Each structure stands twice: as structure tokens, then as C-alpha cells.
Amino acid sequence: MTDWIDSGSPLFRTARPATPDQHLAVYAALVDEAAGAIMLVDHAKAKAWLMPGGHVDPDEDPRVTVVRELDEELKVDPPFHSRFGSDPFFLTVTETRPPHVHTDVTMWFVFAADQNQEIVPDPAEFSQCRWFPLGDPTAWVGNFDPQMSRFMEKLSSVLDLVTAG
């Protein structure tokens, strides 16, 4: 990824849906550590369980983007998780699904959350939101981001949990 950043290639999406064909994005992992759960959204366009997030605007700090996306998509303002800080915890390079195939270079941030907090999902973005148990792989049924399994393994190892997903 650093080669891409250093190359001088455009990092930010300049036109919807996918120009340039590789650009920077963020995900927000809302983790309720006490309950052992993570919140995912059923993304209407992607037809998959994903984390809330989106594309980084030109010259926007990804930390600002991820906080902005949480407010826009879920009307929440949780703190960055104290065990992970405000730096990305996980990085992926993933080709998206049709019809607008492109490559998202995604920074995954972890936030401290409470599954009892009010979440107001944007109905234009998500068909539903759901808390998934971190330690129960049988609950992870459906279509997920292709990198979710790797993310959950790493998250679970830091949180000393059984791997889910």
C-alpha cells in the first residue's frame, strides 16, 4: 500500500461511482467489548454485511472521514477504542462487486460502543443493523465483506476471544 501512496497516483475518489478505479476508503468497527459484540450493517447496494464507512474525500484525513461517516450513516459519535487508538487497526485492498467494480484501499478503525446505544441507520444505505457476537461463529451466517474473516481473527486475538466469522 505504501508503494501506491508514494507513486503519486490519485488516492481519493474524484467522481462517482469509481474514478479513479482505486481509491481510499474507511470502515468503522463498533465493538461492545463488555458484551462481546460487533455491529454490522446490511449494505443495500453491496448486498452484504459490512461495517459502516465510506470513501475518503480529497485531502481529508481518514480519521475525520470515519467519524463523519458514523455520524452521517448511523447518527452516532463513539470514541476510538482505547485499546486500538485512532490509527487504523487493519488495512485491506479489495475489488468491489459489480456493477461499479473498483478497488477500495480500506483503513479499518475500531471504536468503543455499547449495543444499547441508540443507532439511527440511514435507510438509503442500509436495510438493517445488527450486533454479531464476537465469539460465536454459528451466528455469522450470510454474505460478508471478503476480508471480514481476517479482520475478525486479528480483532479476536487482540481481545483474547475465540475467532468468529
Side-chain angles (χ1 to χ4, degrees):
M1 180 156 79
T2 57
D3 289 342
W4 172 62
I5 292 169
D6 293 339
S7 74
S9 296
L11 303 179
F12 307 103
R13 183 174 70 176
T14 56
R16 291 178 184 236
T19 302
D21 62 354
Q22 179 169 293
H23 47 265
L24 199 55
V26 295
Y27 269 159
L30 296 175
V31 176
D32 183 335
E33 192 171 357
I38 189 167
M39 199 277 300
L40 300 177
V41 294
D42 189 4
H43 196 279
K45 289 181 185 174
K47 306 267 189 263
W49 288 99
L50 311 172
M51 294 183 189
H55 295 95
V56 180
D57 287 342
D59 300 320
E60 184 176 44
D61 185 303
R63 289 174 288 250
V64 172
T65 304
V66 74
V67 170
R68 174 180 54 77
E69 290 287 347
L70 282 171
D71 179 54
E72 290 174 2
E73 295 180 349
L74 301 175
K75 303 293 184 228
V76 296
D77 184 23
F80 287 100
H81 196 291
S82 63
R83 291 177 71 175
F84 301 91
S86 63
D87 290 332
F89 171 67
F90 195 68
L91 304 169
T92 57
V93 178
T94 308
E95 188 173 286
T96 63
R97 297 181 176 107
H100 304 291
V101 177
H102 61 279
T103 301
D104 281 340
V105 178
T106 307
M107 298 176 165
W108 302 46
F109 295 87
V110 181
F111 289 83
D114 180 338
Q115 64 182 351
N116 295 314
Q117 75 188 86
E118 182 180 8
I119 293 175
V120 182
D122 179 349
E125 296 256 358
F126 314 123
S127 59
Q128 62 180 310
C129 296
R130 191 170 121 204
W131 289 90
F132 285 80
L134 292 170
D136 181 5
T138 63
W140 289 74
V141 177
N143 192 20
F144 296 88
D145 180 283
Q147 306 293 340
M148 188 67 71
S149 177
R150 287 181 47 238
F151 172 79
M152 291 306 300
E153 286 177 23
K154 185 173 181 184
L155 180 70
S156 295
S157 70
V158 171
L159 296 177
D160 297 322
L161 297 171
V162 176
T163 301

